[in-house]
Amino acid sequence: MKDHQYLFTSESVSEGHPDKICDQISDGIVDAYIERSDKKDQVRVACETMVTTNRVVIAGEVRGPVITSDEIEYITRAIVKDIGYDQKNFHWEKFNFSCFLHGQSQDIAAGVDPSGNNSEGAGDQGIMFGYACTETKELMPAPIQYSHQILKNLSKIRKNKEVYGLGPDSKSQVTLIYEEQIPVGCDNVVVSTQHKPDISKSQIAEIVIPLIESSLPKGWMPMEDKILINPTGRFEVGGPDGDTGLTGRKIIVDTYGGSCPHGGGAFSGKDPTKVDRSGAYVARYIAKNLVYAGLAERCTIQLAYAIGVTEPVSIYVNTHGTGKIDESDLIKSINRVFDLTPRGINNMLELSLPKYLSTASYGHFGRNAKVEKTFTWEKTDKAKLILKEI
């Protein structure tokens, strides 16, 4: 490598990865509680899922409409069926199901619920990060965006039955070459995909390599020896039969692929009063609008909240030396343009709608808000207002 060059790698996983199965089930349950509630802003869900060989276990705390264990089971099996699991040791219709959802703690409810003159407080303490950059048209870091795209393309041809022999479980990893903090090419790509016993490694490569090429910018395809397809040789046993899955274990896949800090809190299975989720969404919303407005080429936002407290306890902005104005002035503009209370975030981003299952695979960010309308935090509608304030 030249002195001014470096490599950076991000990975993604498909909707059939064991951890992602869990994220989708947990978010499907969040959607069910919101959808069936007459008071959607009063729904409280913290739902965890575990999957392993022929078993799904759900646990957590809820408040809202009465949804029976049988209904939760129906939702769960429908999600697993849609992913595509009909294997001997993990079949959507045959796995053992257990549900341990129970009522939310009154101590938490007392701090979060609005009362008297007090507005709705944050559902937990914690720090959340948002990020945006000019590396891609989605204003996302390029390695994670291309990693997602490869697997989206792979999932599409599998579900449309355009190819034979692929299973739901797959992973991708993209390593890009950077010069002066700008991606200029692709050094290597790794893709592992589950498959049936009667399909060979060379057949899988014939399927996957064109998908890699179509997912990368023109001219970025790595050398043949830098494209690794199923490097262990076989990947027949996959999904929950090969690896136990848990909700919230793919937080870097869900966000920016390691290109910026992460607060540590997972998103899936949580209603929007949990600022792990809503705070991260609004942090991305702020960062994306600042970059879209031309005020920076890269921007990191940090928000911090205390449980039961309405306003964030701190706001941090870092434009990484690419900012056009002082970061302290950006913070003043953010405070004037964005309502960062839990209720304000909820209203601004329409978070009390059943939209979360769609977020649980291929990243919560970098989505097209015009096409995928549920991703309201991906809009750039505040850019002009920010410029006006400045």
Side-chain angles (χ1 to χ4, degrees):
M1 298 293 292
K2 298 176 183 177
D3 289 341
H4 60 287
Q5 287 185 337
Y6 63 91
L7 302 180
F8 191 85
T9 304
S10 295
E11 72 153 353
S12 180
V13 299
S14 71
E15 75 267 32
H17 186 280
D19 295 330
K20 277 289 141 198
I21 298 170
C22 296
D23 286 345
Q24 289 166 90
I25 292 170
S26 293
D27 273 340
I29 292 169
V30 172
D31 284 347
Y33 273 93
I34 293 174
E35 188 171 25
R36 300 185 190 194
S37 177
D38 294 331
K39 299 179 179 179
K40 299 185 186 304
D41 61 344
Q42 295 185 21
V43 167
R44 303 291 182 264
V45 182
C47 175
E48 312 291 345
T49 303
M50 183 188 81
V51 297
T52 187
T53 302
N54 267 337
R55 182 171 295 278
V56 176
V57 180
I58 292 171
E61 303 79 47
V62 297
R63 188 183 76 189
V66 175
I67 301 181
T68 67
S69 180
D70 287 345
E71 291 174 299
I72 297 292
E73 181 176 355
Y74 178 84
I75 292 165
T76 300
R77 293 190 186 277
I79 289 170
V80 175
K81 181 182 181 182
D82 184 67
I83 292 169
Y85 275 104
D86 54 6
Q87 300 167 6
K88 179 182 177 181
N89 291 325
F90 194 73
H91 194 291
W92 68 270
E93 200 172 22
K94 299 174 183 177
F95 61 70
N96 295 312
F97 176 83
S98 303
C99 181
F100 301 101
L101 293 175
H102 59 82
Q104 184 193 43
S105 162
Q106 290 303 309
D107 292 343
I108 294 175
V112 176
D113 293 344
S115 61
N117 294 324
N118 295 323
S119 183
E120 181 181 279
D124 202 352
Q125 72 175 48
I127 57 174
M128 304 88 214
F129 288 92
Y131 184 74
C133 63
T134 56
E135 292 180 16
T136 62
K137 67 180 188 302
E138 296 86 2
L139 302 185
M140 283 287 287
I144 187 66
Q145 200 67 15
Y146 300 145
S147 295
H148 287 324
Q149 193 59 53
I150 291 168
L151 294 186
K152 284 182 181 180
N153 291 339
L154 190 62
S155 176
K156 182 179 179 181
I157 63 171
R158 174 180 66 86
K159 287 191 166 185
N160 290 342
K161 297 183 168 41
E162 297 175 32
V163 295
Y164 167 79
L166 298 183
D169 190 0
S170 59
K171 302 177 76 172
S172 66
Q173 184 172 284
V174 173
T175 300
L176 297 187
I177 305 165
Y178 280 75
E179 291 183 2
E180 306 294 344
Q181 301 185 334
I182 297 172
V184 295
C186 182
D187 183 79
N188 66 80
V189 176
V190 184
V191 176
S192 298
T193 181
Q194 187 184 14
H195 59 88
K196 293 183 181 294
D198 58 346
I199 184 170
S200 68
K201 183 175 179 178
S202 62
Q203 288 174 305
I204 294 170
E206 288 177 5
I207 294 169
V208 173
I209 288 175
L211 300 179
I212 295 173
E213 188 166 14
S214 66
S215 302
L216 295 173
K218 188 175 181 180
W220 280 28
M221 196 65 172
M223 301 292 289
E224 185 176 342
D225 63 346
K226 292 293 191 82
I227 301 172
L228 305 177
I229 310 296
N230 281 12
T232 62
R234 306 294 293 172
F235 187 4
E236 295 174 28
V237 179
D241 186 34
D243 189 13
T244 298
L246 295 169
T247 300
R249 280 206 304 200
K250 286 293 175 283
I251 56 178
I252 301 302
V253 172
D254 284 342
T255 53
Y256 308 100
S259 291
C260 80
H262 194 289
F267 302 158
S268 291
K270 299 175 181 177
D271 73 83
T273 66
K274 278 70 172 179
V275 285
D276 280 341
R277 179 167 222 156
S278 56
Y281 288 171
V282 80
R284 162 65 176 174
Y285 187 44
I286 295 167
K288 186 172 184 180
N289 275 272
L290 290 174
V291 171
Y292 185 81
L295 295 170
E297 294 178 15
R298 290 193 295 146
C299 181
T300 299
I301 302 290
Q302 185 204 57
L303 303 175
Y305 287 88
I307 187 168
V309 178
T310 302
E311 299 283 348
V313 297
S314 73
I315 303 172
Y316 165 81
V317 177
N318 186 350
T319 55
H320 307 278
T322 69
K324 303 299 188 292
I325 68 169
D326 192 83
E327 287 155 353
S328 62
D329 291 328
L330 288 178
I331 292 175
K332 293 174 185 176
S333 298
I334 289 167
N335 279 319
R336 289 194 292 266
V337 173
F338 298 90
D339 183 346
L340 298 180
T341 66
R343 178 59 60 88
I345 298 169
N346 195 331
N347 292 339
M348 185 168 49
L349 300 181
E350 301 175 308
L351 297 183
S352 290
L353 296 175
K355 61 168 79 178
Y356 296 106
L357 177 56
S358 64
T359 70
S361 52
Y362 307 114
H364 293 244
F365 310 121
R367 313 295 280 261
N368 189 330
K370 293 181 179 178
V371 177
E372 301 175 278
K373 297 186 183 300
T374 58
F375 291 83
T376 49
W377 48 91
E378 290 296 307
K379 296 188 296 184
T380 52
D381 56 329
K382 297 292 188 184
K384 290 183 179 178
L385 186 55
I386 293 169
L387 289 171
K388 182 180 177 181
E389 285 293 330
I390 290 172

